[in-house]
Amino acid sequence: MSDYLRFASCGETWIWLMRHVRRHGLPAEDDRGPVLEAPPALFEITGLGWDDPVLRSYGDARKIPPYSRKFSERVVIPPFKYSYGGRLRQLLGVDQLRWAAGVLRAKPYTKSAWISLTVPGEPPDAVPCLTSLAFRLREGRLAMTAAFRSQNALTSYLNYVPLRSIQGEVAEDLGVGCGAMRVFVDVPHIYAVDAATVEEILRLSERDGLGEGGSAPGDAGRPGRDGGRLCPDGARRAG
């Protein structure tokens, strides 16, 4: 899968993913009730920050602190069932972010700085949506790919900005800037109970002309869009 989409901002990505599920989703079942499940999505996001005008206009500011803590703290933050911070920094006693930085420090060319957030045999209801992160040094910057087994399109943006902070943390450890942040979502979805909320956000974004930047195709060897409008959280701007 060499072709993927590139978005200039987190807000544009969020709007696109909700539209993707709305347009291509098919009915399915989930523990939380009926859902629409859409085909897999692979994309790259250039600008990530809570100051994104789309997030400020239509995002839920009340959810930013708990989602941020989910990535930064090692304890489980209610109502979540797991902690990304714990799985990144103390999974089976290993600080995986420091480990990845060490691998890249020893072999800057390697593609082995790949970490898993899952544990074989753990309870099914504790399996995290974010399953892995991969780090690479390319052209003097740290690139990162995040893989989600499943993702709620309505709340997806609440994961993307904290992920940039994780990327920035490893980049700072290595003394480099952040490069590309790529995301793969195997099963993007929308819960039926949230359908009206999604429709309202999409209606307002169309009315206001926000999140309409669209996307551009890209591949591993061709630069895509880079609006450079937003400073990443917890990371230095590349360049």
Side-chain angles (χ1 to χ4, degrees), residues 103-201:
V103 171
L104 289 168
R105 192 175 291 110
K107 296 181 178 181
Y109 56 83
T110 189
K111 297 179 287 293
S112 296
W114 181 97
I115 61 179
S116 173
L117 282 78
T118 65
V119 178
E122 67 181 326
D125 63 353
V127 176
C129 293
L130 175 65
T131 56
S132 66
L133 293 177
F135 300 93
R136 303 169 302 284
L137 282 173
R138 296 294 182 268
E139 299 179 347
R141 298 174 182 171
L142 183 72
M144 185 182 79
T145 298
F148 288 84
R149 62 170 178 80
S150 177
Q151 187 166 70
N152 182 357
L154 177 61
T155 57
S156 59
Y157 67 97
L158 293 162
N159 293 281
Y160 300 154
V161 178
L163 274 173
R164 179 65 113 191
S165 295
I166 297 300
Q167 184 182 11
E169 184 177 334
V170 178
E172 184 175 2
D173 193 351
L174 293 167
V176 299
C178 284
M181 190 181 99
R182 198 173 300 165
V183 177
F184 172 70
V185 182
D186 192 27
V187 186
H189 60 84
I190 292 172
Y191 291 101
V193 295
D194 295 328
T197 300
V198 169
E199 289 296 330
E200 180 65 5
I201 293 172

Side-chain angles (χ1 to χ4, degrees), residues 66-127:
Y67 271 83
S68 297
R69 292 176 64 196
K70 183 180 182 182
F71 279 86
S72 63
E73 298 189 15
R74 302 187 182 199
V75 298
V76 177
I77 306 298
F80 304 117
K81 298 179 181 179
Y82 47 80
S83 163
Y84 288 144
R87 291 179 182 242
L88 290 170
R89 298 176 178 86
Q90 62 179 23
L91 187 63
L92 302 179
V94 177
D95 186 331
Q96 299 204 87
L97 298 181
R98 183 165 294 180
W99 175 87
V103 171
L104 289 168
R105 192 175 291 110
K107 296 181 178 181
Y109 56 83
T110 189
K111 297 179 287 293
S112 296
W114 181 97
I115 61 179
S116 173
L117 282 78
T118 65
V119 178
E122 67 181 326
D125 63 353
V127 176

